[in-house]
Amino acid sequence: MKVIIASDHAGYKQKERLKKYLERRKIEYEDLGTDSLESVDYPDYAIKVAKKVAKNRKEDYRGILVCGTGTGMTIAANKVKGIRAVAAYDSYSARMSRIDNNTNVLGLRGRFFPYEKAKKIVSVWLNTPFSEKKRHRKRLKKISDYEEDR
Ligand code: RB5
């Protein structure tokens, strides 16, 4: 597994703290920016990360995207073929998004969201496997079939 991480200005501080967590846990990661609190546009970062994750999904690349709410990053990432992104605000949604939906991108809140909570969400999301259950595979195939037909 390799984590590709990025944020906009609103998620920058949270991203920097989460990078330290990944380092402590010896999880390989690549930071695609942003590098300061200067205002930037979240789609630029979301699409860059999502493309890299989609391209390397057989190697289990995962994306972590932080913006003010997690919403914009998640919307943009989900436009990239092969991406299943979740905006998770708690451990339950993070866990279930792995078990049922095999998500490969995690959208997180940077604003008004405690680091401890974000860290817990990341930990649960990285450590929960997809259930591999037939009914979930079938449902995910409907999404990828739709992507193919577009
Ligand atoms: C930036 O102000 C903010 O809109 C962005 O970080 C994010 O929350 C968008 O969904």
Side-chain angles (χ1 to χ4, degrees), residues 8-11 39-40 42 66-75 111:
D8 68 356
H9 54 287
S39 182
V40 292
Y42 62 81
V66 197
C67 62
T69 57
T71 308
M73 286 291 199
T74 306
I75 290 171
R111 284 185 174 143

PDB file of all heavy atoms in Angstrom, residues 8-11 39-40 42 66-75 111, ligand 1:
ATOM      1  N   ASP A   8      -6.019  21.311   0.117  1.00  0.00           N
ATOM      2  CA  ASP A   8      -5.992  22.719  -0.287  1.00  0.00           C
ATOM      3  C   ASP A   8      -5.532  23.509   0.940  1.00  0.00           C
ATOM      4  O   ASP A   8      -5.108  22.923   1.954  1.00  0.00           O
ATOM      5  CB  ASP A   8      -7.359  23.163  -0.855  1.00  0.00           C
ATOM      6  CG  ASP A   8      -8.464  23.210   0.195  1.00  0.00           C
ATOM      7  OD1 ASP A   8      -8.221  22.832   1.360  1.00  0.00           O
ATOM      8  OD2 ASP A   8      -9.586  23.633  -0.154  1.00  0.00           O
ATOM      9  N   HIS A   9      -5.643  24.823   0.865  1.00  0.00           N
ATOM     10  CA  HIS A   9      -5.202  25.664   1.991  1.00  0.00           C
ATOM     11  C   HIS A   9      -5.975  25.360   3.269  1.00  0.00           C
ATOM     12  O   HIS A   9      -5.420  25.357   4.356  1.00  0.00           O
ATOM     13  CB  HIS A   9      -5.350  27.148   1.616  1.00  0.00           C
ATOM     14  CG  HIS A   9      -6.734  27.481   1.148  1.00  0.00           C
ATOM     15  ND1 HIS A   9      -7.200  27.070  -0.091  1.00  0.00           N
ATOM     16  CD2 HIS A   9      -7.761  28.137   1.733  1.00  0.00           C
ATOM     17  CE1 HIS A   9      -8.446  27.488  -0.238  1.00  0.00           C
ATOM     18  NE2 HIS A   9      -8.824  28.123   0.863  1.00  0.00           N
ATOM     19  N   ALA A  10      -7.278  25.052   3.118  1.00  0.00           N
ATOM     20  CA  ALA A  10      -8.120  24.814   4.299  1.00  0.00           C
ATOM     21  C   ALA A  10      -7.802  23.477   4.979  1.00  0.00           C
ATOM     22  O   ALA A  10      -8.132  23.283   6.152  1.00  0.00           O
ATOM     23  CB  ALA A  10      -9.595  24.850   3.905  1.00  0.00           C
ATOM     24  N   GLY A  11      -7.169  22.597   4.256  1.00  0.00           N
ATOM     25  CA  GLY A  11      -6.816  21.288   4.832  1.00  0.00           C
ATOM     26  C   GLY A  11      -5.337  21.142   5.107  1.00  0.00           C
ATOM     27  O   GLY A  11      -4.887  20.094   5.592  1.00  0.00           O
ATOM     28  N   SER A  39      -4.265  30.483  -0.693  1.00  0.00           N
ATOM     29  CA  SER A  39      -5.482  29.925  -1.283  1.00  0.00           C
ATOM     30  C   SER A  39      -5.220  29.245  -2.632  1.00  0.00           C
ATOM     31  O   SER A  39      -4.573  29.806  -3.518  1.00  0.00           O
ATOM     32  CB  SER A  39      -6.508  31.044  -1.453  1.00  0.00           C
ATOM     33  OG  SER A  39      -7.693  30.500  -1.979  1.00  0.00           O
ATOM     34  N   VAL A  40      -5.728  28.008  -2.748  1.00  0.00           N
ATOM     35  CA  VAL A  40      -5.604  27.223  -3.992  1.00  0.00           C
ATOM     36  C   VAL A  40      -6.966  26.596  -4.277  1.00  0.00           C
ATOM     37  O   VAL A  40      -7.888  26.695  -3.466  1.00  0.00           O
ATOM     38  CB  VAL A  40      -4.518  26.119  -3.862  1.00  0.00           C
ATOM     39  CG1 VAL A  40      -3.133  26.718  -3.765  1.00  0.00           C
ATOM     40  CG2 VAL A  40      -4.812  25.194  -2.673  1.00  0.00           C
ATOM     41  N   TYR A  42      -9.236  23.315  -4.740  1.00  0.00           N
ATOM     42  CA  TYR A  42      -9.200  21.889  -4.377  1.00  0.00           C
ATOM     43  C   TYR A  42      -9.280  20.916  -5.567  1.00  0.00           C
ATOM     44  O   TYR A  42      -8.660  19.852  -5.520  1.00  0.00           O
ATOM     45  CB  TYR A  42     -10.281  21.561  -3.318  1.00  0.00           C
ATOM     46  CG  TYR A  42     -11.696  21.796  -3.762  1.00  0.00           C
ATOM     47  CD1 TYR A  42     -12.363  20.874  -4.536  1.00  0.00           C
ATOM     48  CD2 TYR A  42     -12.374  22.956  -3.408  1.00  0.00           C
ATOM     49  CE1 TYR A  42     -13.664  21.100  -4.969  1.00  0.00           C
ATOM     50  CE2 TYR A  42     -13.663  23.198  -3.833  1.00  0.00           C
ATOM     51  CZ  TYR A  42     -14.301  22.267  -4.611  1.00  0.00           C
ATOM     52  OH  TYR A  42     -15.573  22.480  -5.037  1.00  0.00           O
ATOM     53  N   VAL A  66      -7.609  16.367   1.912  1.00  0.00           N
ATOM     54  CA  VAL A  66      -8.165  17.202   2.979  1.00  0.00           C
ATOM     55  C   VAL A  66      -8.491  18.595   2.437  1.00  0.00           C
ATOM     56  O   VAL A  66      -7.632  19.259   1.858  1.00  0.00           O
ATOM     57  CB  VAL A  66      -7.173  17.352   4.167  1.00  0.00           C
ATOM     58  CG1 VAL A  66      -7.912  17.854   5.403  1.00  0.00           C
ATOM     59  CG2 VAL A  66      -6.437  16.053   4.467  1.00  0.00           C
ATOM     60  N   CYS A  67      -9.753  18.996   2.612  1.00  0.00           N
ATOM     61  CA  CYS A  67     -10.125  20.395   2.319  1.00  0.00           C
ATOM     62  C   CYS A  67     -10.910  20.897   3.524  1.00  0.00           C
ATOM     63  O   CYS A  67     -10.873  20.253   4.585  1.00  0.00           O
ATOM     64  CB  CYS A  67     -10.892  20.514   1.008  1.00  0.00           C
ATOM     65  SG  CYS A  67     -12.474  19.655   0.926  1.00  0.00           S
ATOM     66  N   GLY A  68     -11.609  21.994   3.403  1.00  0.00           N
ATOM     67  CA  GLY A  68     -12.324  22.532   4.565  1.00  0.00           C
ATOM     68  C   GLY A  68     -13.317  21.538   5.127  1.00  0.00           C
ATOM     69  O   GLY A  68     -13.357  21.257   6.329  1.00  0.00           O
ATOM     70  N   THR A  69     -14.124  20.978   4.246  1.00  0.00           N
ATOM     71  CA  THR A  69     -15.183  20.055   4.670  1.00  0.00           C
ATOM     72  C   THR A  69     -14.952  18.609   4.238  1.00  0.00           C
ATOM     73  O   THR A  69     -15.651  17.707   4.708  1.00  0.00           O
ATOM     74  CB  THR A  69     -16.520  20.485   4.032  1.00  0.00           C
ATOM     75  OG1 THR A  69     -16.343  20.505   2.607  1.00  0.00           O
ATOM     76  CG2 THR A  69     -16.947  21.857   4.506  1.00  0.00           C
ATOM     77  N   GLY A  70     -14.066  18.399   3.279  1.00  0.00           N
ATOM     78  CA  GLY A  70     -13.900  17.069   2.668  1.00  0.00           C
ATOM     79  C   GLY A  70     -14.823  16.883   1.474  1.00  0.00           C
ATOM     80  O   GLY A  70     -14.653  15.937   0.686  1.00  0.00           O
ATOM     81  N   THR A  71     -15.779  17.788   1.329  1.00  0.00           N
ATOM     82  CA  THR A  71     -16.799  17.612   0.289  1.00  0.00           C
ATOM     83  C   THR A  71     -16.268  17.858  -1.125  1.00  0.00           C
ATOM     84  O   THR A  71     -16.422  17.007  -2.010  1.00  0.00           O
ATOM     85  CB  THR A  71     -17.986  18.566   0.550  1.00  0.00           C
ATOM     86  OG1 THR A  71     -18.419  18.398   1.900  1.00  0.00           O
ATOM     87  CG2 THR A  71     -19.137  18.297  -0.395  1.00  0.00           C
ATOM     88  N   GLY A  72     -15.675  19.008  -1.327  1.00  0.00           N
ATOM     89  CA  GLY A  72     -15.197  19.357  -2.663  1.00  0.00           C
ATOM     90  C   GLY A  72     -14.186  18.352  -3.180  1.00  0.00           C
ATOM     91  O   GLY A  72     -14.254  17.918  -4.347  1.00  0.00           O
ATOM     92  N   MET A  73     -13.251  17.980  -2.324  1.00  0.00           N
ATOM     93  CA  MET A  73     -12.220  17.001  -2.705  1.00  0.00           C
ATOM     94  C   MET A  73     -12.882  15.679  -3.118  1.00  0.00           C
ATOM     95  O   MET A  73     -12.472  15.042  -4.096  1.00  0.00           O
ATOM     96  CB  MET A  73     -11.277  16.726  -1.526  1.00  0.00           C
ATOM     97  CG  MET A  73     -10.311  17.836  -1.222  1.00  0.00           C
ATOM     98  SD  MET A  73      -9.068  18.008  -2.522  1.00  0.00           S
ATOM     99  CE  MET A  73      -7.796  18.922  -1.650  1.00  0.00           C
ATOM    100  N   THR A  74     -13.890  15.269  -2.381  1.00  0.00           N
ATOM    101  CA  THR A  74     -14.546  13.987  -2.645  1.00  0.00           C
ATOM    102  C   THR A  74     -15.329  14.036  -3.954  1.00  0.00           C
ATOM    103  O   THR A  74     -15.275  13.083  -4.747  1.00  0.00           O
ATOM    104  CB  THR A  74     -15.456  13.615  -1.458  1.00  0.00           C
ATOM    105  OG1 THR A  74     -14.669  13.643  -0.265  1.00  0.00           O
ATOM    106  CG2 THR A  74     -16.069  12.241  -1.621  1.00  0.00           C
ATOM    107  N   ILE A  75     -16.034  15.132  -4.178  1.00  0.00           N
ATOM    108  CA  ILE A  75     -16.781  15.281  -5.431  1.00  0.00           C
ATOM    109  C   ILE A  75     -15.822  15.195  -6.616  1.00  0.00           C
ATOM    110  O   ILE A  75     -16.056  14.444  -7.571  1.00  0.00           O
ATOM    111  CB  ILE A  75     -17.553  16.627  -5.458  1.00  0.00           C
ATOM    112  CG1 ILE A  75     -18.697  16.610  -4.458  1.00  0.00           C
ATOM    113  CG2 ILE A  75     -18.086  16.925  -6.866  1.00  0.00           C
ATOM    114  CD1 ILE A  75     -19.385  17.967  -4.253  1.00  0.00           C
ATOM    115  N   ARG A 111     -11.335  21.850   8.545  1.00  0.00           N
ATOM    116  CA  ARG A 111     -11.845  22.939   9.382  1.00  0.00           C
ATOM    117  C   ARG A 111     -12.768  22.421  10.483  1.00  0.00           C
ATOM    118  O   ARG A 111     -13.645  21.590  10.225  1.00  0.00           O
ATOM    119  CB  ARG A 111     -12.623  23.931   8.517  1.00  0.00           C
ATOM    120  CG  ARG A 111     -11.719  24.827   7.699  1.00  0.00           C
ATOM    121  CD  ARG A 111     -12.510  25.886   6.945  1.00  0.00           C
ATOM    122  NE  ARG A 111     -11.605  26.814   6.279  1.00  0.00           N
ATOM    123  CZ  ARG A 111     -11.842  27.347   5.085  1.00  0.00           C
ATOM    124  NH1 ARG A 111     -12.940  27.054   4.420  1.00  0.00           N
ATOM    125  NH2 ARG A 111     -10.967  28.165   4.546  1.00  0.00           N
TER     126      ARG A 111
HETATM  127  C1  RB5 B   1     -12.246  26.449   0.580  1.00  0.00           C
HETATM  128  O1  RB5 B   1     -12.653  27.635   1.146  1.00  0.00           O
HETATM  129  C2  RB5 B   1     -13.321  25.395   0.764  1.00  0.00           C
HETATM  130  O2  RB5 B   1     -14.402  25.664  -0.043  1.00  0.00           O
HETATM  131  C3  RB5 B   1     -12.755  24.022   0.488  1.00  0.00           C
HETATM  132  O3  RB5 B   1     -11.700  23.775   1.322  1.00  0.00           O
HETATM  133  C4  RB5 B   1     -13.698  22.845   0.673  1.00  0.00           C
HETATM  134  O4  RB5 B   1     -14.300  22.861   1.915  1.00  0.00           O
HETATM  135  C5  RB5 B   1     -14.638  22.608  -0.424  1.00  0.00           C
HETATM  136  O5  RB5 B   1     -15.450  21.658  -0.410  1.00  0.00           O
END
